[in-house]
Amino acid sequence: MRWARAEWGPLYGALRARGGPPAIPMTLAAVSLTALLQYVQNQPWGFRAVEAAGAVRAQDPWWLALLRTPLSLFVPALDLPVWGALAQILCVFGIAEICLGRLRTLTVAYAATLAGTLYARLGIALGPHSPLGLPASDALVVDTGPSAAVVGLAVFVAARYGARTTAVLVPVAIVAEVLAKDNLAGKEHLAALLATGALCAVSAVRGRCGGRTPCQSRPGRRAGRGSGLPPIQSWTARRGPAQRRSWR
């Protein structure tokens, strides 16, 4: 119990302070969009429309893949149960939206998804004989679904709220997935983790230098910033009595 409180206590506190359905409108919209796309793509009249708007393949031209990638995040994979995608979006996107805000959640989700999409092209170029390569047949695989975004958001939120064990266990699980089943999805998840790691590093640097911690004390800053007094008064307050008398 003590370990759980130390691991997830800050995250739970943030969710309790800001949580509830009114705090996750984007997540609820994403769940609704995913359910709608699932229904449409399983209709004879809707399959080609969803494929044209949100199905990404490594063989697609760059510009077309980039246009389709945002919507592809909400198109459930045809070979997986839709309830899994809906549950992932509701839980992980909901937690991220509450803790990170809508813009940052979308940024991390899109970066993770785009990293997986770009990796697929690199992996096919490397070929099946490379440890990071993919067979040429994977160029025809339809690459959709929220899993890469979910992996990225889970690690980003865990790292941001100090859940270090969780932030380590998620990548370990992905590596185990790739070792057990070496396929396109698993390696795309690894690419999503690398992109998320870069975002975590950028966020950490900005947090240190954005005005809350060590960067405030860098040399060259004007005196008085940390004292609450104007610069002249703060400087005068630090001078000894003899120094103050010498100016009279």
Side-chain angles (χ1 to χ4, degrees), residues 37-52:
L37 290 173
Q38 168 69 7
Y39 172 78
V40 172
Q41 74 175 350
N42 280 283
Q43 305 304 312
W45 49 266
F47 176 77
R48 291 194 176 277
V50 173
E51 189 174 64

Side-chain angles (χ1 to χ4, degrees), residues 160-223:
R160 186 172 181 84
Y161 281 85
R164 298 177 181 176
T165 303
T166 305
V168 171
L169 286 179
V170 173
V172 168
I174 298 302
V175 171
E177 174 194 1
V178 172
L179 293 176
K181 189 176 181 181
D182 188 7
N183 59 9
L184 174 62
K187 289 185 174 180
E188 283 191 343
H189 293 164
L190 288 178
L193 286 174
L194 290 176
T196 304
L199 291 176
C200 287
V202 171
S203 179
V205 170
R206 291 185 63 185
R208 285 198 298 269
C209 300
R212 289 195 297 263
T213 50
C215 291
Q216 283 187 334
S217 59
R218 288 181 296 186
R221 293 292 182 97
R222 292 189 300 173

Side-chain angles (χ1 to χ4, degrees), residues 7-222:
E7 177 75 4
W8 298 306
L11 178 59
Y12 175 76
L15 291 174
R16 188 172 181 180
R18 314 171 199 163
I24 54 171
M26 182 194 70
T27 299
L28 297 177
V31 170
S32 301
L33 176 61
T34 303
L36 175 63
L37 290 173
Q38 168 69 7
Y39 172 78
V40 172
Q41 74 175 350
N42 280 283
Q43 305 304 312
W45 49 266
F47 176 77
R48 291 194 176 277
V50 173
E51 189 174 64
V56 177
R57 298 180 179 84
Q59 69 173 3
D60 294 336
W62 280 100
W63 64 270
L64 185 58
L66 292 175
L67 283 176
R68 290 176 173 175
T69 296
L71 187 62
S72 72
L73 196 156
F74 305 106
V75 177
L78 289 171
D79 58 338
L80 296 174
V82 68
W83 62 262
L86 296 176
Q88 288 177 7
I89 294 174
L90 182 61
C91 294
V92 179
F93 273 65
I95 292 172
E97 184 176 2
I98 292 171
C99 296
L100 305 178
R102 289 196 278 280
L103 180 59
R104 188 169 293 172
T105 297
L106 285 174
T107 300
V108 175
Y110 182 70
T113 302
L114 185 61
T117 298
L118 297 180
Y119 159 74
R121 296 168 179 272
L122 175 62
I124 291 168
L126 292 174
H129 302 295
S130 170
L132 298 177
L134 295 168
S137 58
D138 280 349
L140 303 175
V141 175
V142 176
D143 180 19
T144 60
S147 56
V150 165
V151 167
L153 286 171
V155 171
F156 192 92
V157 171
R160 186 172 181 84
Y161 281 85
R164 298 177 181 176
T165 303
T166 305
V168 171
L169 286 179
V170 173
V172 168
I174 298 302
V175 171
E177 174 194 1
V178 172
L179 293 176
K181 189 176 181 181
D182 188 7
N183 59 9
L184 174 62
K187 289 185 174 180
E188 283 191 343
H189 293 164
L190 288 178
L193 286 174
L194 290 176
T196 304
L199 291 176
C200 287
V202 171
S203 179
V205 170
R206 291 185 63 185
R208 285 198 298 269
C209 300
R212 289 195 297 263
T213 50
C215 291
Q216 283 187 334
S217 59
R218 288 181 296 186
R221 293 292 182 97
R222 292 189 300 173

